[in-house]
Amino acid sequence: MAFPPNSDKERPNVNDDQQRITTLKTKMKAEEVSLTLLAGTDAMRYLTGWREGGHERFVGLFVPQDEEQRAAFVVPAMNAPQALKTPAEVSEVFGWSDESGWYTEVQTLFSRYEVDSGSVVLIDDELLSVHLLAMQSLFPGVRFAPAGRMMASLRQIKTASELASMERAALLIDEIFEATVIQLKAGINEMEMREIILQEMKRRNTSPSFSPLVCFGANAALPHHHTGTTTLKGGDVVILDLGCVWEHYASDITRTVCFGTPSDPDAAKVYEIVYRAHSAVMENVKPGTSGERADRFARDVITKAEYGEFFVHRTGHGIGLSTHEPPYIVEGNHEPLLPGMCFSDEPGIYLPGRFGVRIENIVTMTETGLRSLNTPPSPTLRTIGL
Amino acid sequence: MAFPPNSDKERPNVNDDQQRITTLKTKMKAEEVSLTLLAGTDAMRYLTGWREGGHERFVGLFVPQDEEQRAAFVVPAMNAPQALKTPAEVSEVFGWSDESGWYTEVQTLFSRYEVDSGSVVLIDDELLSVHLLAMQSLFPGVRFAPAGRMMASLRQIKTASELASMERAALLIDEIFEATVIQLKAGINEMEMREIILQEMKRRNTSPSFSPLVCFGANAALPHHHTGTTTLKGGDVVILDLGCVWEHYASDITRTVCFGTPSDPDAAKVYEIVYRAHSAVMENVKPGTSGERADRFARDVITKAEYGEFFVHRTGHGIGLSTHEPPYIVEGNHEPLLPGMCFSDEPGIYLPGRFGVRIENIVTMTETGLRSLNTPPSPTLRTIGL
């Protein structure tokens, strides 16, 4: 597949970005929110086309409800030139210096926007607590609340252009998986295998959306195993969990294979249970199904097969600019899944000390049901030759 | 240099980790803090030998002041096996499930530790705001405050063993810089150069402490330039800012060189001013000098040379498990710099649209003054042959 280079340039779609800030303001008005403050995260990228973490330094995008008032950045002085050039053309940029800090600039904006006692200010879920605590001290009467739900209401339904980026990222990761899995060989260790994955990404002008997970043998029983120095031997179950980005949009798949004939007699059977759980979501979830109900379609299959206690995580997470974002496919999420939403379908069974199986594709909701952005997983445990 | 492989294994020094929790409790008692809550950050790694970000999932280490009470982890159920095996041997691990969430476990701990209205709870600076806001709702009378200052009081003075790791990381990055800089060539772009740096790290069994910055020509005038597709041409000033880790401890250096004869007539002069500013810190800062005064030693040199307005950041930052941590070498930091502290000495001058110069070494305070962990920078602008 020949794609043009995936450069560090920001998305060119200026109109989208400006429209997003306008849409946010409309929603803020409906919920009587005075101000939304986003940190240098994917939420900021969603609204402006730019993100800059700032490490420990404060980076904020201030979006007031008032239509007459413009959004503004408060950023370290050295990032001010970058903030001025975002696709959303936020022309108000306050650069703060290391000498004087950022409090004065934030006070100026709160005053300009008439944010005062009793006002509701939504805060980026990922803003560092040290910055939130400072703001709570500066503005003791203001009611700070998480911005996550409101930002999700904007971000979780993807536009055609966003979907196109996600499809490319998905096709790329499928190709990278195929190029990688055939390189499994006796004695290779997990970190070496991760390196091969990263090199295959580089060859295709893409980069990881998260550090690839490589789990050999009993390590596959740990859903968040830290890729290490364990070496591969015949009969090992192998979990590879990998994703890449295209125009800042993420992909994320998990495949479970066996290196030679499984040494554990239950590996093939467990794989097929997980496959059926994965398929149950694909087949049964329709527009309007809740996240909780979608989770249960997978969980019921695994519970009926008497492995329920070994399915130790939710069935899926939304994905977009962030690898994990709403909607979550989990007990307790009563929100309906709607056309345009994208999320993972990734049930798993983890048998401590033995092996684990997880199968993950990214799916998108259409008018009629789910469509996978990735190629379908194998219905049976695939073996890779010794 | 032949070092053993830098594996993903955690530090083996169990006694250090247990001692650190005890020391923290002593300090908490002196300041009447009931509980310190650390997120899955370097602060957690400092106390336990383990860190696990958890992405959007809540990960917490709860350290009560009460000597009779034990510290406890609250982590996603799937991370519980890892939490049980930390070098600090924190044996209380509460795993929470995606179905039920983490509130119950935290309520149980607050109740067990008798944290109630009026109690002071210190919060990891980097805990996500969404988690802090949830806790403030659960425990409305509790006084939450940032843990940064107290954690700094433990972390900023390095032990001999920590210093040894930092020295290795520093020597490695010096070697990687030398291996890299000679690979500059006409037409190479910044991202390709970054790739070379990463490969040189890999060859030495180390990994980056942050994504290396490569700035060619006018891009060097942006202290936090995003490494991109700009290509190198004769006469360009080049800034390379890179660091690696050894046993989780970070290094961080910046070098400015010129590719051939500088096209800007002021490049050599500006370099020498920055070098003198860097040296002024090395020579004048002694045990007890404040962070602010250290900053001024560098700033005065640059201001006297009439480039003060172009030195747009603080002179330095502390370094250890985190690449940026206290002490900060900045106006307003009145705390004394003491033996065992490690920080960067990195003045810079940035001329928009033209070029920039930054020189950075990591230094440690000894009983008599500063000692550099890195080899000294060139006193004059080094040119790399076309």
Side-chain angles (χ1 to χ4, degrees):
Chain A
M1 219 171 304
F3 291 149
N6 185 15
S7 81
D8 268 12
K9 277 191 295 188
E10 304 301 335
R11 281 173 307 122
N13 200 336
V14 176
N15 293 331
D16 259 16
D17 296 303
Q18 288 171 342
Q19 184 54 48
R20 287 169 180 174
I21 290 178
T22 306
T23 307
L24 172 59
K25 286 190 170 200
T26 306
K27 286 178 179 272
M28 287 165 63
K29 193 164 186 179
E31 300 200 12
E32 298 181 8
V33 169
S34 296
L35 176 69
T36 297
L37 165 55
L38 299 174
T41 62
D42 288 327
M44 178 186 282
R45 189 186 305 278
Y46 178 81
L47 288 182
T48 69
W50 182 64
R51 69 167 284 174
E52 168 63 53
H55 302 280
E56 74 284 2
R57 289 184 174 98
F58 178 84
V59 172
L61 172 70
F62 292 72
V63 181
Q65 184 209 114
D66 187 344
E67 286 165 36
E68 307 293 309
Q69 296 275 9
R70 290 185 298 180
F73 278 116
V74 175
V75 301
M78 59 184 149
N79 294 113
Q82 294 157 323
L84 273 167
K85 287 189 202 159
T86 68
E89 296 177 351
V90 175
S91 55
E92 290 267 43
V93 174
F94 295 83
W96 60 267
S97 73
D98 286 340
E99 289 77 51
S100 51
W102 51 272
Y103 295 174
T104 310
E105 281 73 14
V106 173
Q107 283 167 321
T108 301
L109 281 174
F110 270 56
S111 162
R112 179 191 293 182
Y113 297 149
E114 295 176 5
V115 174
D116 44 30
S117 202
S119 297
V120 175
V121 173
L122 297 188
I123 293 287
D124 195 319
D125 284 12
E126 296 176 40
L127 181 75
L128 301 185
S129 281
V130 66
H131 296 324
L132 173 59
L133 288 165
M135 266 186 296
Q136 289 176 329
S137 293
L138 289 172
F139 311 106
V142 169
R143 291 157 56 201
F144 294 94
R149 194 178 48 78
M150 181 167 291
M151 288 308 298
S153 74
L154 276 85
R155 291 172 61 185
Q156 60 189 359
I157 295 183
K158 269 62 181 177
T159 62
S161 140
E162 290 178 292
L163 256 181
S165 298
M166 293 194 61
E167 298 221 39
R168 277 197 164 188
L171 290 174
L172 266 174
I173 203 65
D174 287 345
E175 184 183 310
I176 289 160
F177 167 74
E178 287 300 333
T180 301
V181 71
I182 55 173
Q183 297 184 59
L184 286 170
K185 60 182 180 189
I188 196 169
N189 77 32
E190 293 171 340
M191 291 199 292
E192 289 162 347
M193 200 63 210
R194 177 172 62 189
E195 187 51 31
I196 288 174
I197 295 171
L198 295 171
Q199 288 305 321
E200 293 291 344
M201 288 184 185
K202 226 157 254 160
R203 285 184 49 204
R204 290 165 179 81
N205 294 309
T206 185
S207 53
S209 46
F210 57 92
S211 182
L213 291 181
V214 178
C215 316
F216 291 164
N219 294 341
L222 294 169
H224 281 182
H225 168 62
H226 287 200
T227 301
T229 53
T230 303
T231 54
L232 184 62
K233 57 186 194 310
D236 275 353
V237 169
V238 173
I239 289 183
L240 302 177
D241 186 345
L242 58 162
C244 64
V245 290
W246 189 261
E247 288 169 346
H248 304 298
Y249 283 81
S251 61
D252 183 5
I253 61 167
T254 305
R255 291 291 180 265
T256 304
V257 300
C258 195
F259 186 59
T261 307
S263 56
D264 194 297
D266 292 335
K269 179 185 80 175
V270 167
Y271 182 94
E272 285 161 39
I273 295 163
V274 175
Y275 178 78
R276 283 195 287 118
H278 176 87
S279 304
V281 174
M282 288 300 299
E283 288 157 18
N284 295 303
V285 173
K286 302 294 170 193
T289 304
S290 71
E292 170 172 289
R293 192 138 174 262
D295 178 79
R296 288 182 188 168
F297 283 123
R299 202 163 300 277
D300 285 351
V301 170
I302 292 176
T303 303
K304 277 182 196 150
E306 299 187 343
Y307 283 96
E309 66 183 297
F310 303 109
F311 178 14
V312 294
H313 55 70
R314 63 196 176 202
T315 296
H317 55 82
I319 184 167
L321 287 172
S322 300
T323 305
H324 289 187
E325 60 177 51
Y328 291 101
I329 312 303
V330 66
E331 188 73 20
N333 177 12
H334 306 295
E335 299 287 320
L337 297 167
L338 299 175
M341 291 185 178
C342 294
F343 51 88
S344 69
D345 169 10
E346 54 171 315
I349 293 177
Y350 307 91
L351 303 179
R354 294 172 61 191
F355 68 94
V357 171
R358 183 167 63 255
I359 300 174
E360 174 184 26
N361 270 13
I362 300 302
V363 299
T364 186
M365 184 63 81
T366 71
E367 299 298 332
T368 56
L370 295 180
R371 177 170 72 81
S372 177
L373 302 186
N374 301 103
T375 52
S378 167
T380 56
L381 180 60
R382 176 174 166 187
T383 57
I384 301 296
L386 272 177
Chain B
M1 217 171 302
F3 291 150
N6 186 14
S7 82
D8 268 11
K9 277 190 294 185
E10 304 300 337
R11 280 173 308 120
N13 200 335
V14 175
N15 294 332
D16 259 15
D17 297 303
Q18 289 172 339
Q19 184 54 47
R20 286 168 180 175
I21 291 178
T22 306
T23 307
L24 172 59
K25 285 189 171 202
T26 307
K27 286 179 181 271
M28 286 165 64
K29 192 164 188 179
E31 300 201 13
E32 297 181 9
V33 169
S34 298
L35 177 68
T36 297
L37 165 54
L38 299 174
T41 62
D42 288 328
M44 179 186 282
R45 192 191 294 285
Y46 178 81
L47 288 183
T48 69
W50 183 63
R51 70 167 282 175
E52 168 63 53
H55 302 279
E56 72 285 2
R57 288 185 175 98
F58 178 84
V59 172
L61 172 69
F62 293 72
V63 182
Q65 186 210 111
D66 187 344
E67 286 166 36
E68 306 294 309
Q69 297 275 8
R70 290 186 298 181
F73 278 115
V74 176
V75 301
M78 60 185 150
N79 294 114
Q82 294 156 324
L84 273 167
K85 287 189 202 158
T86 69
E89 296 176 351
V90 174
S91 54
E92 290 267 42
V93 175
F94 294 83
W96 58 269
S97 73
D98 286 341
E99 289 76 50
S100 51
W102 51 271
Y103 295 174
T104 310
E105 282 73 14
V106 173
Q107 282 166 322
T108 301
L109 282 174
F110 270 56
S111 162
R112 179 190 296 181
Y113 297 150
E114 295 176 5
V115 174
D116 44 30
S117 202
S119 297
V120 175
V121 172
L122 297 187
I123 294 286
D124 195 320
D125 283 13
E126 296 177 40
L127 182 74
L128 301 184
S129 281
V130 67
H131 296 323
L132 173 58
L133 288 166
M135 266 185 298
Q136 289 176 330
S137 293
L138 289 173
F139 311 106
V142 168
R143 291 157 57 203
F144 294 94
R149 193 179 46 79
M150 180 167 290
M151 289 308 299
S153 75
L154 275 85
R155 291 172 61 185
Q156 60 190 357
I157 295 183
K158 268 63 181 176
T159 62
S161 141
E162 290 178 292
L163 255 181
S165 298
M166 295 194 62
E167 297 222 40
R168 276 197 164 188
L171 290 174
L172 265 175
I173 204 65
D174 286 347
E175 184 182 311
I176 288 160
F177 167 74
E178 287 301 334
T180 300
V181 70
I182 55 172
Q183 297 183 59
L184 286 169
K185 61 182 179 190
I188 197 169
N189 77 32
E190 292 171 342
M191 291 200 293
E192 290 163 347
M193 200 63 208
R194 178 173 60 189
E195 187 52 32
I196 288 173
I197 294 171
L198 294 172
Q199 289 304 321
E200 294 290 347
M201 287 183 185
K202 226 156 258 167
R203 285 184 49 202
R204 290 165 180 81
N205 293 311
T206 183
S207 53
S209 46
F210 57 92
S211 181
L213 290 180
V214 178
C215 316
F216 291 164
N219 294 340
L222 294 168
H224 280 182
H225 168 60
H226 287 201
T227 301
T229 53
T230 303
T231 54
L232 183 64
K233 56 186 196 309
D236 274 354
V237 169
V238 173
I239 289 183
L240 301 177
D241 187 344
L242 57 162
C244 64
V245 290
W246 189 262
E247 288 170 346
H248 304 298
Y249 283 81
S251 60
D252 183 5
I253 61 167
T254 306
R255 292 290 181 263
T256 304
V257 301
C258 196
F259 186 58
T261 308
S263 55
D264 194 298
D266 292 336
K269 179 183 80 176
V270 167
Y271 183 94
E272 285 161 41
I273 294 163
V274 175
Y275 177 78
R276 282 196 286 117
H278 176 88
S279 304
V281 173
M282 287 301 298
E283 288 158 17
N284 294 304
V285 173
K286 301 295 171 193
T289 304
S290 70
E292 170 171 290
R293 190 135 177 263
D295 178 80
R296 287 181 188 169
F297 283 123
R299 204 163 298 277
D300 284 352
V301 170
I302 292 176
T303 304
K304 274 181 196 148
E306 298 186 346
Y307 283 94
E309 67 183 295
F310 303 109
F311 179 14
V312 293
H313 56 71
R314 64 197 175 203
T315 295
H317 55 82
I319 185 168
L321 287 172
S322 300
T323 306
H324 289 186
E325 61 176 52
Y328 291 100
I329 311 305
V330 65
E331 188 74 20
N333 177 13
H334 306 294
E335 299 289 320
L337 297 167
L338 298 175
M341 290 184 180
C342 295
F343 52 89
S344 69
D345 169 11
E346 53 172 316
I349 293 177
Y350 308 91
L351 304 178
R354 293 172 61 191
F355 68 93
V357 171
R358 183 168 64 256
I359 300 173
E360 174 183 26
N361 271 12
I362 300 302
V363 299
T364 186
M365 183 63 81
T366 71
E367 299 297 332
T368 54
L370 295 180
R371 177 170 71 80
S372 177
L373 302 186
N374 300 103
T375 51
S378 167
T380 56
L381 181 60
R382 178 174 165 187
T383 58
I384 302 296
L386 275 176

